[in-house]
């Protein structure tokens, strides 16, 4: 498990490095380089609009790669998604700016950002299933948290490279060519990630599906038809976490440098320090979830988020770095109370035959509301003097929505077994949520004993098992 966990961590770190390096560039330089005729506010909105294109693409990527994961295995998803994101990121670093090729520059920028999102939409589902389906049931949240360490590691790498360039180069050098370097570094990191993933084995759950012929013929259609309520609830539940994370790591960078007058280097250092603390707290939050349950952790973290958004904006409005840092840290600790648990919680809500599609689509749909819209809305609400209270209202509203959605979802934690099972048996202990009677008739519980494989078409009736009347 240790080698597998670190391999998935390395891969997700590379993928999220690619995604975050674009967000940092959008906050700092992409506006004037690709939208020079716009005002500073409009340029920032346009840059964040291209940033949002990646989030809109992520659900599409989760549909595409989720189908591959449920039909052909979790392992192939990891290679295809990493390659897709890595190539798109390197090409962003090679793009001519608006001054060179005119309107074609922002068009190409949006296109590459969209391709980035397609790749990342597939990455998360493949990585978390590879760990969660191998992990023992009583430590599933802990082991599944390793892919969730990829975002903070990727963020720190992306911003660390940007910070080093910001310190070592003049503003003119950074705007001329320095901003491209972090995108080029993505090519090297993608090669390392692909190399690390060559030794990963397929999950026991998918091997069992392949051996019995129970793979879903159309996973996306099955998810929408039978699990649409769970899909929408998970998307709404996770949207607050996306909103908070990208408020701190993207919008706050622009706000601090443009509105509060703080240097780019100081703002990057503040955000990186807060993300480092968040990453350190991730395994501890996951371990706690293995003891108290997934749903209580998510409810507590989301409630803290709703309560902290007005204090966060008040601290940002002071323009004092130590107080801003305090606001960032508490916001991200609330965030990690939810997202450290997500990699175990979402797969447990779906049966293995549709798990890659269901978990990934729900996770990435949340990114559209929380990740794509939030930088646009928070930037539009930032005007005039004083703290931007409209930002606090938006973030609190999203947190309340998430709290209601988590309250409607079931608990899925499996109690610790009396004896430690083997890895294959543990992977099959992911609980299945209660389903509507029609779903049970079409898709009987995967843990029920079978004497013959499930037919490919779920509408074909199955012969019932013979009854032993001798015991009547």
């Amino acid at each position: 498990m240790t080698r597998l966990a670190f391999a998935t961590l390395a891969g997700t770190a590379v993928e999220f490095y690619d995604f975050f390096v674009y967000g940092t560039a959008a906050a700092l330089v992409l506006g004037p380089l690709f939208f020079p005729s716009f005002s500073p506010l409009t340029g920032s909105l346009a840059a964040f609009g291209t940033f949002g294109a990646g989030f809109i693409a992520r659900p599409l990527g989760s549909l595409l790669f989720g189908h591959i994961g449920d039909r052909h295995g979790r392992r192939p998803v990891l290679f295809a998604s990493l390659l897709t994101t890595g190539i798109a990121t390197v090409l962003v670093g090679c793009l001519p700016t608006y001054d060179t090729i005119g309107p074609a520059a922002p068009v190409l920028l949006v296109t590459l950002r969209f391709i980035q999102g397609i790749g990342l939409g597939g990455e998360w589902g493949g990585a978390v299933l590879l760990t969660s389906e191998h992990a023992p049931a009583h430590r599933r949240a802990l082991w599944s948290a390793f892919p969730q360490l990829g975002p903070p590691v990727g963020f720190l790498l992306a911003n660390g490279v940007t910070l080093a360039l910001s310190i070592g180069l003049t503003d003119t050098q950074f705007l001329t060519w320095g901003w491209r370097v972090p995108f080029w570094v993505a090519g090297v990191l993608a090669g390392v990630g692909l190399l690390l993933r060559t030794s990963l084995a397929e999950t026991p759950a998918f091997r069992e599906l392949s051996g019995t012929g129970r793979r879903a013929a159309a996973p996306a259609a099955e998810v929408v038809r039978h699990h649409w309520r769970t899909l929408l609830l998970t998307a709404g539940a996770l949207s607050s976490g996306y909103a908070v994370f990208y408020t701190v790591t993207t919008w706050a960078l622009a706000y601090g440098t443009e509105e509060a007058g703080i240097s780019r280097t100081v703002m990057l250092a503040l955000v990186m320090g807060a993300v480092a603390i968040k990453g350190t707290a991730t395994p501890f939050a996951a371990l706690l979830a293995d003891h108290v349950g997934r749903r209580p952790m998510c409810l507590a973290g989301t409630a803290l988020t709703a309560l902290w958004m007005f204090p966060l904006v008040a601290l940002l409005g002071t323009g004092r770095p130590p107080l801003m840092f305090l606001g960032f840290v508490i916001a991200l600790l609330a965030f990690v109370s939810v997202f450290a648990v997500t990699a175990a919680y979402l797969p447990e809500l779906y049966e293995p035959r549709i798990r890659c599609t269901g978990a990934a689509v729900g996770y990435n749909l949340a990114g559209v509301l929380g990740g794509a819209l939030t930088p646009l809305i928070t930037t539009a609400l930032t005007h005039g003097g004083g703290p931007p209270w409209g930002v606090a209202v938006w973030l609190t509203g999203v947190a309340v929505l998430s709290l209601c959605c988590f309250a409607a979802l079931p608990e899925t934690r499996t109690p610790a077994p009396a004896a430690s099972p083997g890895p294959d048996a543990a992977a099959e202990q992911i609980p299945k949520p209660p389903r509507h009677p029609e779903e049970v008739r079409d898709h009987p519980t995967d843990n029920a004993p079978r004497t013959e494989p499930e037919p490919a078409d779920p509408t074909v009736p199955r012969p019932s098992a013979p009854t032993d009347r001798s015991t009547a």
Side-chain angles (χ1 to χ4, degrees):
M1 275 304 303
T2 302
R3 191 173 82 170
L4 183 148
F6 277 100
T8 56
L9 163 60
T12 53
V14 172
E15 288 260 17
F16 278 94
Y17 169 90
D18 296 352
F19 206 71
F20 288 140
V21 79
Y22 188 101
T24 304
L28 298 178
V29 298
L30 293 186
L33 290 175
F34 287 86
F35 307 95
S37 61
F38 293 175
S39 68
L41 174 61
T42 308
S44 293
L45 285 170
F48 283 135
T50 64
F51 177 74
F55 284 98
I56 294 171
R58 282 172 65 168
L60 299 178
S62 61
L63 285 171
L64 171 64
F65 290 108
H67 181 88
I68 295 172
D70 285 325
R71 290 289 303 159
H72 305 288
R74 320 319 192 189
R75 189 172 177 270
V77 171
L78 299 182
F79 291 92
S81 61
L82 183 56
L83 195 60
T84 300
T85 307
I87 291 174
T89 305
V90 172
L91 290 177
V92 170
C94 300
L95 274 183
T97 62
Y98 189 95
D99 289 341
T100 304
I101 60 174
V107 171
L108 291 173
L109 184 67
V110 172
T111 301
L112 291 174
R113 176 61 173 175
F114 194 85
I115 296 172
Q116 256 193 340
I118 292 284
L120 191 60
E123 163 66 25
W124 187 86
V128 301
L129 289 193
L130 210 67
T131 51
S132 67
E133 291 185 342
H134 275 99
H138 64 293
R139 286 291 179 265
R140 184 168 292 120
L142 177 61
W143 287 112
S144 299
F146 276 80
Q148 294 297 77
L149 287 169
V153 172
F155 180 87
L156 292 173
L157 283 173
N159 285 274
V161 173
T162 303
L163 180 60
L165 292 167
S166 181
I167 294 172
L169 302 176
T170 65
D171 285 347
T172 301
Q173 290 173 324
F174 188 80
L175 286 170
T176 302
W177 59 268
W179 68 273
R180 299 179 182 275
V181 175
F183 292 94
W184 295 337
V185 170
V188 178
L189 295 178
V192 173
L194 289 170
L195 183 63
L196 288 173
R197 289 183 165 182
T198 56
S199 61
L200 298 181
E202 190 52 79
T203 70
F206 186 79
R207 291 201 304 268
E208 194 272 340
L209 284 175
S210 299
T212 57
R214 293 188 289 112
R215 289 175 292 177
E222 192 169 321
V223 168
V224 171
R225 184 165 60 245
H226 296 299
H227 301 273
W228 59 269
R229 182 177 180 273
T230 300
L231 189 69
L232 294 179
L233 284 175
T234 53
L238 297 176
S239 60
S240 175
Y242 275 103
V244 169
F245 187 81
Y246 286 101
T247 293
V248 171
T249 60
T250 301
W251 170 78
L253 280 178
Y255 177 82
T257 55
E258 296 171 11
E259 300 290 333
I262 300 173
S263 73
R264 179 172 61 229
T265 301
V266 171
M267 283 304 303
L268 283 171
L270 292 178
V271 175
M272 288 174 64
V275 171
I277 293 173
K278 171 246 178 189
T280 303
T282 297
F284 297 100
L287 186 61
L288 185 59
D290 276 326
H291 288 280
V292 304
R294 288 47 161 144
R295 186 169 173 268
M297 288 289 294
C298 292
L299 288 170
T302 308
L304 177 58
T305 298
L307 293 172
W308 186 246
M309 292 303 95
F310 275 90
L312 170 64
V313 169
L315 293 173
L316 288 177
T318 67
R320 298 172 60 184
L323 294 179
M324 298 171 79
F325 180 69
L326 175 64
F328 294 160
V329 168
I330 296 179
L332 291 183
L333 288 177
F335 162 86
V336 83
S337 300
V338 177
F339 272 62
V341 182
T342 300
Y345 193 17
L346 262 64
E348 289 172 346
L349 290 168
Y350 296 93
E351 53 196 306
R353 54 185 281 124
I354 56 167
R355 187 173 287 152
C356 194
T357 300
V361 172
Y363 184 85
N364 287 295
L365 277 177
V368 176
L369 175 60
L373 295 181
T374 291
L376 289 170
I377 292 173
T378 51
T379 300
L381 292 173
T382 306
H383 56 80
W389 297 117
V391 173
V393 172
W394 163 255
L395 294 174
T396 303
V398 177
V400 171
L401 168 66
S402 294
L403 194 61
C404 293
C405 291
F406 273 125
L409 287 169
E411 177 55 63
T412 60
R413 182 175 68 99
T414 302
S420 180
D424 283 14
E428 287 305 303
Q429 291 177 5
I430 297 182
K432 312 301 186 300
R435 291 174 287 169
H436 189 277
E438 291 184 1
E439 298 175 40
V440 175
R441 184 170 62 247
D442 287 344
H443 306 292
T445 304
D446 289 278
N447 288 337
R450 285 187 178 84
T451 57
E452 60 187 46
E454 180 181 357
D457 185 352
T459 62
V460 176
R462 260 176 229 97
S464 58
T467 304
D468 184 358
R469 300 186 181 272
S470 63
T471 60

